[in-house]
Amino acid sequence: MTELYFELIDADATVAFGKKLAASLEMPCIIYLEGDLGAGKTTFSRGLIQSFNYQGNVKSPTYTLVEPYELESVNIYHFDLYRLADPEELEFMGIRDYFSGNNLCLIEWPEKGVGWLEPADILVNMQYVDDHRAIRLNANSARGEKILSALT
Ligand code: ADP
Ligand code: MG
């Protein structure tokens, strides 16, 4: 399975890389975003979401658990499960419906929802490297493989 690694010099580079990945996505698509607090997961999501012709603000869904972007070309659901106390909450919020459509699901802190989430197409891991960040992407399905191959 394909693994890609890039260093991102600043927040603009993180946004730009989100945009680059967006250009080769195919729906439905599930992306897990792992990495410590402040590693750049939301910044990366911002680039991705904005590239689907969304000019508004992309805020962190830490308190709402999910922020929907129902756009012309795609429905995007941006999750942040950091504050999820009990994974059963995902059942109550109707998590299955988010996975059933032709949607793009971006999921920060997927490890908090183990057992309740569909498997990812792409696993993204962000890390601190000095003042910068690094991003590692792993394909986790045939679709993910195709998307990442298009990036290289
Ligand atoms: P997370 O969602 O992983 O908690 P955020 O996306 O909210 O992290 O980013 C936290 C901070 O890191 C923000 O201030 C953002 O501007 C900054 N940041 C993002 N990417 C980079 C980068 N490549 N280099 C330096 N700072 C970055
Ligand atoms: Mg975040």
Side-chain angles (χ1 to χ4, degrees):
M1 284 287 191
T2 303
E3 174 173 283
L4 302 178
Y5 176 87
F6 299 96
E7 296 204 349
L8 304 166
I9 195 83
D10 58 17
D12 287 347
T14 303
V15 169
F17 190 73
K19 291 186 175 172
K20 187 175 154 81
L21 178 64
S24 54
L25 287 185
E26 284 180 22
M27 310 312 165
C29 190
I30 299 173
I31 301 179
Y32 287 3
L33 296 152
E34 300 182 330
D36 289 342
L37 276 179
K41 304 178 295 296
T42 298
T43 307
F44 178 72
S45 301
R46 182 170 296 129
L48 244 162
I49 294 164
Q50 285 177 341
S51 75
F52 289 95
N53 211 10
Y54 175 75
Q55 271 101 37
N57 187 25
V58 173
K59 46 186 196 268
S60 177
T62 306
Y63 293 93
T64 52
L65 292 181
V66 59
E67 201 63 54
Y69 301 87
E70 293 173 349
L71 308 176
E72 209 168 290
S73 59
V74 66
N75 292 328
I76 305 176
Y77 298 99
H78 181 200
F79 294 85
D80 181 342
L81 305 184
Y82 185 69
R83 291 177 56 87
L84 191 69
D86 178 354
E88 253 195 22
E89 266 184 69
L90 293 173
E91 168 95 85
F92 305 139
M93 72 190 276
I95 189 76
R96 279 190 208 92
D97 295 341
Y98 291 100
F99 294 132
S100 65
N102 199 40
N103 301 333
L104 170 59
C105 290
L106 305 171
I107 309 176
E108 298 187 35
W109 297 97
E111 53 270 51
K112 303 262 184 180
V114 169
W116 298 87
L117 305 176
E118 288 287 314
D121 295 292
I122 299 171
L123 306 170
V124 171
N125 193 288
M126 300 194 67
Q127 285 163 310
Y128 288 81
V129 178
D130 304 322
D131 293 346
H132 315 301
R133 304 290 189 272
I135 189 166
R136 193 179 299 280
L137 302 102
N138 284 276
N140 196 50
S141 72
R143 162 155 304 149
E145 188 67 44
K146 192 174 167 204
I147 292 166
L148 294 193
S149 316
L151 262 188
T152 52

